[in-house]
């Protein structure tokens, strides 16, 4: 969302939707309309994937995040709704506005930095003192976690399979996960993290033999708190990769189950649930 104006409070619905879908809210002045028109070109690209999605705050000092750039990325974009973002290359050198491979956009409510043909290796993004902020690192790449869903067995005998559950999973219960990776990769490891980026638990997902290439599945004892699904591993060249589905998954505390289908016959007593 790109929001203008200051004569009334911002509807909190904008912020809630952005937080739960992995998006961002940019507060802009009317004078920045022209600059804002450049945002889609920086944030949306071909084969767009998400490498990091964080919602956090910094009370004092600063907070740094490691961003692995792998060989499949043709560009990488760092976006934060705070002006205190700084990015370092694997060499340790900070990215400068004048760098030939860098495109920057500085706004009142945040900053965006796009790097073309980035160097493979560990990049670092640092956020200074800031109230609650959203940091998103995205890239153009063919290597992606295109699916992470909770499923159950459905269908008639001989034609059964895994289908998405209705709604959201139940926290504290055991659920079945079905994930799909695309592009060249090896040794994928799945885990769940809090919106602030800290680790909750690892997942043991195995390759599904009769599924499409890159499909993994297994059972998971879900936490009761909101989480994001991450996968890390190595690309085909042996470089570290990381992907995340930016949509926040919020386990529910209530499960509603419909009764089985039941026929009622005229003239015959039937107990019906």
């Amino acid at each position: 969302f790109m929001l203008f104006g200051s004569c009334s409070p911002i509807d909190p619905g904008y912020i809630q939707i952005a937080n739960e879908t992995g998006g961002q809210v940019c507060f802009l002045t009317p004078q920045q309309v022209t600059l804002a028109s450049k945002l889609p070109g920086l944030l949306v690209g071909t084969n767009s994937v998400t490498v990091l999605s964080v919602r956090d705050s910094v009370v004092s000092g600063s907070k740094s995040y490691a961003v692995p750039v792998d060989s499949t990325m043709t560009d990488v974009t760092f976006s934060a709704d705070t002006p205190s973002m700084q990015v370092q290359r694997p060499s340790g050198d900070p990215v400068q506005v004048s760098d030939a491979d860098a495109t920057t956009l500085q706004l009142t409510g945040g900053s965006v930095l796009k790097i073309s043909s980035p160097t493979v290796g560990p990049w670092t993004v640092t956020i200074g003192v800031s109230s609650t902020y959203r940091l998103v690192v995205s890239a153009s790449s063919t290597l992606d976690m295109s699916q992470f869903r909770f499923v159950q067995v459905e269908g008639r005998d001989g034609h059964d399979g895994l289908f998405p559950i209705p709604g959201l999973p139940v926290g504290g219960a055991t659920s079945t996960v079905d994930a799909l990776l695309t592009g060249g990769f090896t040794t994928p490891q799945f885990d769940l993290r809090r919106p602030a980026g800290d680790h909750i638990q690892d997942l043991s997902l195995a390759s599904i033999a009769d599924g499409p290439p890159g499909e993994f599945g297994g059972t998971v004892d879900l936490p009761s708190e909101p989480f994001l699904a991450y996968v890390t591993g190595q690309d085909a060249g042996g470089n570290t990769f990381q992907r995340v589905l930016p949509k926040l998954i919020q386990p529910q505390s209530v499960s509603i189950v419909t009764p089985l289908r039941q026929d009622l016959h005229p003239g015959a007593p039937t107990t019906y649930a």
Side-chain angles (χ1 to χ4, degrees):
F1 295 115
M2 292 176 283
L3 305 179
F4 300 86
S6 60
C7 60
S8 61
I10 296 296
D11 190 319
Y14 288 110
I15 299 174
Q16 181 181 359
I17 291 173
N19 287 341
E20 295 186 6
T21 61
Q24 290 175 291
V25 176
C26 297
F27 299 101
L28 309 173
T29 66
Q31 292 74 26
Q32 293 178 322
V33 171
T34 302
L35 289 176
S37 66
K38 299 179 182 179
L39 276 172
L42 292 175
L43 299 177
V44 181
T46 304
N47 296 326
S48 181
V49 302
T50 306
V51 183
L52 180 71
S53 179
V54 170
R55 188 176 80 249
D56 203 357
S57 62
V58 180
V59 178
S60 62
S62 61
K63 190 169 290 188
S64 296
Y65 303 89
V67 179
V69 170
D70 59 76
S71 61
T72 69
M73 297 180 182
T74 56
D75 57 57
V76 59
T77 300
F78 303 85
S79 173
D81 54 5
T82 172
S84 65
M85 181 183 73
Q86 294 182 336
V87 178
Q88 283 185 323
R89 302 177 184 274
S91 63
D93 297 328
V95 176
Q96 305 290 346
V97 176
S98 57
D99 290 349
D101 60 348
T103 303
T104 60
L105 182 61
Q106 198 70 36
L107 301 169
T108 302
S111 56
V112 181
L113 169 64
K114 186 172 187 176
I115 303 293
S116 301
S117 302
T119 302
V120 174
W123 291 61
T124 303
V125 55
T126 302
I127 303 294
V129 175
S130 177
S131 57
T132 302
Y133 60 86
R134 163 75 70 179
L135 168 64
V136 177
V137 181
S138 58
S140 294
S141 170
T142 54
L143 200 170
D144 190 19
M145 179 166 60
S146 59
Q147 177 177 285
F148 186 94
R149 59 181 185 171
F150 297 93
V151 296
Q152 59 189 7
V153 177
E154 289 185 349
R156 64 186 190 276
D157 292 342
H159 297 276
D160 54 345
L162 296 177
F163 293 85
I165 64 171
L168 293 166
V170 177
T174 300
S175 298
T176 301
V177 168
D178 180 52
L180 184 63
L181 299 183
T182 59
F185 60 87
T186 60
T187 62
Q189 298 173 323
F190 300 84
D191 69 289
L192 307 181
R193 304 183 194 180
R194 296 182 177 90
D198 47 322
H199 179 267
I200 299 179
Q201 69 185 69
D202 294 323
L203 306 182
S204 296
L205 303 185
S207 178
I208 298 179
D210 56 350
E215 186 176 19
F216 295 81
T219 57
V220 179
D221 293 329
L222 289 179
S224 298
E225 59 183 307
F227 61 83
L228 296 170
Y230 277 80
V231 61
T232 58
Q234 293 181 323
D235 63 17
N239 305 290
T240 300
F241 79 85
Q242 176 176 284
R243 299 291 185 268
V244 57
L245 288 183
K247 182 179 179 181
L248 187 67
I249 301 174
Q250 302 199 53
Q252 303 299 291
S253 59
V254 174
S255 175
I256 299 177
V257 181
T258 59
L260 296 175
R261 173 187 171 89
Q262 196 171 344
D263 291 332
L264 303 180
H265 302 284
T270 305
T271 300
Y272 182 75

